[in-house]
């Protein structure tokens, strides 16, 4: 097996380091050269990418915009960069990088093109009253773009069978080999089992504070528990979001003042609130892939309450490691939370079962090895001098770019 030059194409450097870091390390450890393509990056994040063994490359991408001229510019820029760095393998994840990165890789003649879709996202997320006309238009546009790009991919990784059915099968999209995997996985040495708290029973929501993630339903259930006289605690962990579908900071302050929730804000290490919790709650109706937050909770031995929607239901075997509830049903959420208060032994039993499922399903080393085997990235044995040369050639680029990176604002 010869050494390959791999481009991992994503968006924010923060998410690349946090969620793709283990994959980068495994690719580098296998003897390959890895370039990390991101649209937004600070100098500190640049250094963290280097520590993983990859070379950071910044490109222009409007993550949320719909300007076709900007998107054409992105394709051209990626095409140029792929040619410049002689990329052998493109590994693109998230919607826009998958679409425009795969098209650019095709034009650049990249020999192996891999796409990874981690949930269908907001256009495919059904609100309580059904899809709006705008959503249906966005769905059609996205399906058209996926159809244009995925026909050129050699491998497509999906995280749940619903995404395959609703995107690929339903729309008859031609693509390469389709592989289903159990989420992006976790470093199970980092997320280790901790005995759950049972007195008081403490529920915790961790995530973006968007209605689609179920935060509003969680607040309703927390208030219902307080009004019913239950003494359980309900924690909220996460930063307020800027979007119109987000819970406002003012509402959070009000709920804290009323004694309904305990709000921590965003934390750098989610293990801290998970360690202090009893049950993890994610009443999401977002089109998830497989929620990482739920995987983290299971790996630490927490029972889970989540919905029976795509992605979420993949994490819970009902009444074994948690409870599944219908989306958009705050009464069912209240009943599930009440059940754990009335049966604290379930907290222990379901948490232990969830931990065992995490060991079986979410070991990032096994998942990465499976993906690399599927796309033919075998381990390459390099002479020590060649390894040293690759590392040395990466370092000077950071010093040259430091002043640019620290002074720039990277926004869409």
């Amino acid at each position: 097996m010869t050494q390959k030059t791999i481009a991992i194409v994503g968006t924010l450097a923060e998410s690349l380091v946090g969620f793709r870091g283990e994959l980068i390390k495994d690719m580098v450890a296998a003897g390959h050269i890895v370039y990390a393509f991101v649209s937004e990056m600070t100098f500190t994040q640049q250094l963290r990418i280097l520590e993983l063994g990859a070379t950071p490359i910044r490109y222009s991408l409007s993550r949320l915009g719909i300007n076709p001229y900007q998107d054409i510019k992105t394709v051209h820029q990626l095409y140029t960069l792929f040619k410049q760095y002689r990329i052998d393998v493109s590994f693109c994840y998230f919607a826009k990088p998958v679409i425009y990165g795969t098209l650019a890789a095709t034009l650049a003649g990249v020999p192996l093109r891999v796409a990874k879709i981690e949930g269908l996202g907001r256009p495919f997320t059904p609100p309580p009253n059904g899809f709006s006309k705008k959503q249906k238009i966005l769905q059609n546009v996205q399906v058209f773009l996926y159809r244009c790009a995925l026909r050129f991919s050699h491998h497509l990784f999906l995280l749940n069978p619903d995404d395959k059915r609703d995107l690929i099968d339903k729309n008859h999209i031609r693509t390469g080999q389709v592989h289903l995997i159990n989420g992006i996985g976790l470093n199970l040495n980092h997320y280790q089992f901790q005995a759950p708290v049972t007195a008081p029973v403490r529920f915790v929501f961790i995530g973006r504070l968007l209605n689609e993630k179920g935060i509003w339903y969680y607040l309703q259930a927390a208030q219902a528990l307080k009004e019913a006289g239950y003494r359980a605690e309900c924690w909220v962990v996460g930063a307020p979001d800027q979007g119109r579908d987000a819970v406002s900071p003012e509402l959070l302050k009000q709920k804290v003042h009323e004694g309904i929730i305990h709000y921590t804000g965003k934390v750098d290490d989610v293990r801290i609130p998970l360690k202090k919790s009893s049950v993890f709650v994610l009443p999401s109706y977002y089109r998830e892939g497989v929620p990482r937050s739920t995987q983290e909770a299971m790996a630490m031995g927490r029972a889970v309450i989540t919905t029976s929607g795509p992605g979420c239901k993949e994490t819970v075997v009902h009444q074994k490691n948690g409870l599944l509830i219908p989306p958009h049903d705050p009464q069912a959420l209240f009943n599930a939370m009440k059940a754990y208060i009335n049966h604290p032994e379930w907290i222990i039993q379901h948490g232990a079962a969830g931990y065992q499922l995490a060991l079986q399903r979410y070991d990032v080393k096994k998942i990465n090895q499976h993906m690399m085997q599927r796309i033919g990235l075998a381990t390459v044995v390099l002479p020590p001098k060649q390894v040293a040369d690759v590392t040395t050639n990466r370092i000077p680029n950071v010093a040259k770019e430091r002043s640019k990176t620290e002074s720039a604002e990277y926004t869409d």
Side-chain angles (χ1 to χ4, degrees):
M1 177 71 182
T2 58
Q3 183 185 54
K4 302 296 184 183
T5 301
I6 304 168
I8 295 186
V9 186
T11 54
L12 305 180
E14 181 180 17
S15 67
L16 180 135
V17 171
F19 301 151
R20 243 54 56 174
E22 295 294 330
L23 178 61
I24 290 173
K25 287 193 291 185
D26 287 345
M27 287 178 169
V28 171
H32 303 291
I33 299 171
V34 180
Y35 291 94
F37 284 68
V38 294
S39 59
E40 300 180 31
M41 173 171 56
T42 66
F43 177 66
T44 300
Q45 291 163 348
Q46 202 172 14
L47 286 180
R48 291 187 66 188
I49 291 171
L50 277 170
E51 290 170 357
L52 295 172
T55 301
I57 304 292
R58 185 166 63 89
Y59 74 103
S60 175
L61 175 72
S62 176
R63 289 189 297 120
L64 305 177
I66 54 174
N67 184 335
Y69 298 104
Q70 178 60 47
D71 295 337
I72 292 171
K73 178 181 175 183
T74 297
V75 173
H76 182 264
Q77 186 182 20
L78 286 172
Y79 161 82
T80 303
L81 291 168
F82 289 162
K83 296 286 282 187
Q84 177 184 344
Y85 292 102
R86 299 180 180 180
I87 299 301
D88 299 312
V89 182
S90 62
F91 191 105
C92 305
Y93 64 93
F94 292 160
K96 280 200 169 186
V98 162
I99 293 166
Y100 302 126
T102 302
L103 289 174
T106 304
L107 294 171
V110 174
L112 180 61
R113 299 178 292 274
V114 182
K116 189 162 179 269
I117 298 175
E118 301 175 1
L120 299 188
R122 182 164 286 173
F124 292 85
T125 295
N129 298 322
F131 291 113
S132 66
K133 289 183 179 179
K134 180 180 178 180
Q135 277 184 300
K136 291 179 180 178
I137 292 172
L138 289 175
Q139 285 178 19
N140 291 333
V141 170
Q142 198 164 75
V143 166
F144 170 76
L145 292 173
Y146 274 135
R147 181 175 284 116
C148 291
L150 291 178
R151 62 184 297 185
F152 299 112
S153 69
H154 298 101
H155 296 273
L156 171 63
F157 289 96
L158 298 169
L159 304 190
N160 66 68
D162 294 279
D163 288 357
K164 181 178 183 298
R165 181 196 66 208
D166 294 341
L167 178 64
I168 305 301
D169 299 340
K170 180 180 177 181
N171 296 291
H172 308 289
I173 293 178
R174 290 173 51 199
T175 186
Q177 295 184 50
V178 178
H179 313 281
L180 290 176
I181 57 174
N182 292 326
I184 61 176
L186 302 168
N187 181 340
L188 295 178
N189 292 322
H190 185 73
Y191 297 94
Q192 296 185 342
F193 179 87
Q194 300 283 339
V197 174
T198 55
V201 174
R202 186 174 291 142
F203 301 97
V204 62
F205 172 102
I206 302 175
R208 296 173 63 193
L209 305 187
L210 297 170
N211 288 341
E212 296 157 330
K213 293 288 187 177
I215 180 60
W216 177 237
Y217 296 138
Y218 180 68
L219 294 178
Q220 287 180 274
Q223 182 162 345
L225 286 175
K226 182 175 177 61
E227 291 174 352
Y230 290 97
R231 305 187 67 156
E233 297 181 10
C234 296
W235 286 27
V236 174
V237 179
D241 200 278
Q242 299 286 330
R244 60 183 177 85
D245 293 325
V247 171
S248 69
E250 292 74 24
L251 179 61
L252 291 173
K253 290 179 182 177
Q254 176 187 334
K255 298 300 181 183
V256 171
H257 178 72
E258 294 172 356
I260 294 170
I261 63 168
H262 172 77
Y263 178 55
T264 68
K266 183 179 179 181
V267 298
D268 293 328
D269 189 346
V270 297
R271 293 175 301 176
I272 297 173
L274 282 173
K275 182 178 179 180
K276 299 176 181 179
S277 70
S278 310
V279 179
F280 176 77
V281 183
L282 185 67
S284 172
Y285 58 92
Y286 188 74
R287 274 307 291 254
E288 308 276 0
V290 174
R292 180 182 170 95
S293 57
T294 310
Q295 296 174 55
E296 293 167 339
M298 292 169 62
M300 293 189 66
R302 294 300 172 267
V304 174
I305 299 173
T306 192
T307 64
S308 55
C312 291
K313 67 182 179 183
E314 310 305 319
T315 61
V316 169
V317 178
H318 186 60
Q319 294 185 341
K320 178 179 179 181
N321 70 303
L323 299 176
L324 289 174
I325 60 171
H328 304 297
D329 194 336
Q331 182 62 46
L333 176 57
F334 167 75
N335 290 338
M337 295 169 74
K338 186 172 63 172
Y340 278 112
I341 297 171
N342 292 334
H343 300 278
E345 70 277 9
W346 290 4
I347 295 171
I348 305 295
Q349 295 167 5
H350 292 181
Y355 171 69
Q356 292 300 323
L357 286 174
L359 294 181
Q360 296 169 20
R361 297 178 177 179
Y362 304 134
D363 184 339
V364 71
K365 292 293 183 185
K366 294 179 182 178
I367 292 173
N368 289 346
Q369 184 181 35
H370 173 76
M371 286 196 297
M372 290 169 65
Q373 287 176 344
R374 288 290 185 180
I375 63 178
L377 284 181
T379 300
V380 180
V381 179
L382 296 176
K385 184 179 184 304
Q386 189 174 347
V387 175
D389 288 345
V390 170
T391 304
T392 302
N393 290 337
R394 269 201 308 267
I395 301 301
N397 296 329
V398 180
K400 292 177 184 177
E401 295 294 325
R402 176 170 186 168
S403 60
K404 297 180 186 178
T405 310
E406 289 183 322
S407 63
E409 290 287 337
Y410 302 115
T411 56
D412 290 336

